[in-house]
Amino acid sequence: MAFENETTFIDGLKTTPDQEAVIDALFNDPDFKKIWDYLKNCQKVIVLDIRPGLTIDGVERFGGYSGGGRRGRLIINPTKPEHVNNPMELADTIIHECIHAVMDLRDDCGYTDYPFSRDIHELYNDPNIQGPPTNEKEDADPRDKDYLDNHYGDGASNPDDEYIDINDHAQRLIIRIIRRLMTQTGKGDETLTFENERKRNPKPKNKGCCAGVFLFLIAIAFVVLVL
Amino acid sequence: MSNAAKAKRIMEDVFHGGQIDTMNVNEIIDVRDQLSNLWSQINGTEITVGMTEAQVTDAIGQPWNTIGDVWYYPSAFSQYHYSIEFDSGAVKETDFVTLMIS
């Protein structure tokens, strides 16, 4: 068993009835189960930590993951207002931190039953980043700025100053799971990850409309000329 | 060379110099333990198991942040932190960790 406090942790995530419904669905989701089982079956220990009101640098945070050491530590703040008001945001944060955990355990536990495609990266291990990796926008290497804007986007709890620390492929995995949970439970709403995806990939202006109108006018002119 | 400089040299060579790409798991674990041990002696300050919170604060100052019983101090690399875990007010373990906050 690679988790410390698993039962206490899962119970601690359920601070409202809607959170309870979403968490139950999350832990039965096929994609999330692959992630959770990979972590659970790895010999490296992950301490699961519920921290209501988690505050770092004066900002209340969604959660976090501490890795690279002897044990991992996965931290969730279930009472952050965004988590209470939208239980899908809580599921989003849990998946996000689990992505960090999988990356942390990859060297210890290898690629057997590895739950991700190879294009999922976290900011600190992304081979496409050229300068020293950092999620602080003002410290990012100028060579990386476009890449970080296009493939990462804003951090959740401090979007003005920080980049989010998992890439677009990881964010799309979260979106896929959240969409399924929303359909299953009828609870909650789209999360900041959806908003981030839309900001990174704004819908193109509807060129089809204008081209269609133009063609229609040409057709009318043609008909008028013929008649 | 101070222990802080040794730790920084290891970080530069192994992580930012790219050695990690060709290291096996045991070698990576060895580097991690070297860093952790160096941390316990940074600049000649011994942080040892059993020290009280007050003794740690006297030795190396207030932590940058705390999460529960774990105190975090910044390192030369923004994503890495020195961590001290306490159990009932006494040092249980020191480590050198990444800390990713959402």
Side-chain angles (χ1 to χ4, degrees), chain A residues 4 44 47 49 51 54-58 60-71 73 75 93 96-97 100 104 107-108 122 124 132-136 139 156-157 162 165, chain B residues 15-16 20 23-26 28-29 32-37 39 64-70 72 77-81 83 85-86 92-102:
Chain A
E4 270 185 23
K44 184 168 175 177
V47 179
D49 197 353
R51 287 287 151 199
L54 173 70
T55 299
I56 292 178
D57 276 351
E60 184 173 4
R61 304 294 182 150
F62 291 77
Y65 183 78
S66 166
R70 297 183 187 88
R71 287 177 294 166
R73 183 175 292 269
I75 308 151
T93 302
H96 179 120
E97 304 309 341
H100 286 310
D104 181 36
D107 286 336
D108 294 272
E122 56 185 0
Y124 298 113
T134 176
N135 71 330
E136 301 284 343
D139 296 337
S157 58
E162 296 174 359
D165 54 11
Chain B
F15 295 101
H16 297 280
I20 194 168
M23 291 166 71
N24 64 36
V25 172
N26 287 335
I28 292 169
I29 290 171
R32 180 191 69 193
D33 290 343
Q34 281 183 52
L35 289 168
S36 183
N37 292 335
W39 153 234
W64 162 73
N65 231 305
T66 65
I67 301 178
D69 290 330
V70 184
Y72 294 93
F77 298 92
S78 62
Q79 71 268 43
Y80 293 92
H81 294 77
S83 71
E85 184 174 357
F86 290 89
K92 178 183 171 188
E93 187 174 75
T94 63
D95 211 340
F96 190 69
V97 299
T98 59
L99 182 58
M100 291 156 285
I101 298 296
S102 301

Side-chain angles (χ1 to χ4, degrees), chain A:
Chain A
M1 184 74 72
F3 288 136
E4 270 185 23
N5 314 323
E6 184 181 12
T7 306
T8 312
F9 175 78
I10 294 173
D11 289 345
L13 295 168
K14 302 171 180 175
T15 68
T16 70
D18 281 358
Q19 283 182 340
E20 182 170 0
V22 169
I23 294 303
D24 286 344
L26 175 66
F27 279 82
N28 283 298
D29 181 87
D31 280 336
F32 184 73
K33 273 173 74 74
K34 281 185 204 164
I35 298 170
W36 195 252
D37 287 346
Y38 179 84
L39 299 173
K40 191 169 182 169
N41 294 329
C42 183
Q43 70 274 17
K44 184 168 175 177
V45 173
I46 295 180
V47 179
L48 300 172
D49 197 353
I50 295 286
R51 287 287 151 199
L54 173 70
T55 299
I56 292 178
D57 276 351
V59 179
E60 184 173 4
R61 304 294 182 150
F62 291 77
Y65 183 78
S66 166
R70 297 183 187 88
R71 287 177 294 166
R73 183 175 292 269
L74 194 154
I75 308 151
I76 301 291
N77 172 8
T79 59
K80 182 162 171 62
E82 288 89 337
H83 284 164
V84 174
N85 297 333
N86 179 10
M88 288 303 160
E89 201 70 64
L90 175 62
D92 185 314
T93 302
I94 295 165
I95 304 164
H96 179 120
E97 304 309 341
C98 283
I99 289 171
H100 286 310
V102 168
M103 299 286 161
D104 181 36
L105 266 57
R106 193 171 38 179
D107 286 336
D108 294 272
C109 293
Y111 286 97
T112 304
D113 298 325
Y114 186 69
F116 299 148
S117 60
R118 301 296 174 93
D119 48 14
I120 286 184
H121 297 295
E122 56 185 0
L123 193 151
Y124 298 113
N125 296 304
D126 188 330
N128 300 305
I129 290 177
Q130 300 175 67
T134 176
N135 71 330
E136 301 284 343
K137 288 185 177 180
E138 68 176 14
D139 296 337
D141 190 296
R143 292 171 297 174
D144 294 321
K145 187 156 178 20
D146 284 348
Y147 180 77
L148 290 166
D149 285 337
N150 294 331
H151 294 277
Y152 284 79
D154 296 336
S157 58
N158 197 4
D160 291 339
D161 299 327
E162 296 174 359
Y163 288 110
I164 196 167
D165 54 11
I166 56 173
N167 74 351
D168 45 0
H169 294 285
Q171 292 175 48
R172 285 179 199 131
L173 170 65
I174 293 175
I175 287 172
R176 188 168 76 228
I177 296 174
I178 296 293
R179 280 210 175 107
R180 201 157 47 217
L181 297 181
M182 287 171 65
T183 304
Q184 279 175 10
T185 65
K187 310 282 186 191
D189 206 346
E190 292 186 350
T191 64
L192 292 170
T193 305
F194 288 70
E195 191 181 319
N196 203 26
E197 174 76 13
R198 282 193 288 268
K199 275 199 288 190
R200 281 187 290 97
N201 298 292
K203 279 186 182 170
K205 294 259 166 63
N206 195 345
K207 291 176 185 167
C209 147
C210 303
V213 169
F214 186 65
L215 285 173
F216 179 73
L217 290 174
I218 289 176
I220 294 286
F222 180 75
V223 168
V224 168
L225 284 173
V226 168
L227 291 177

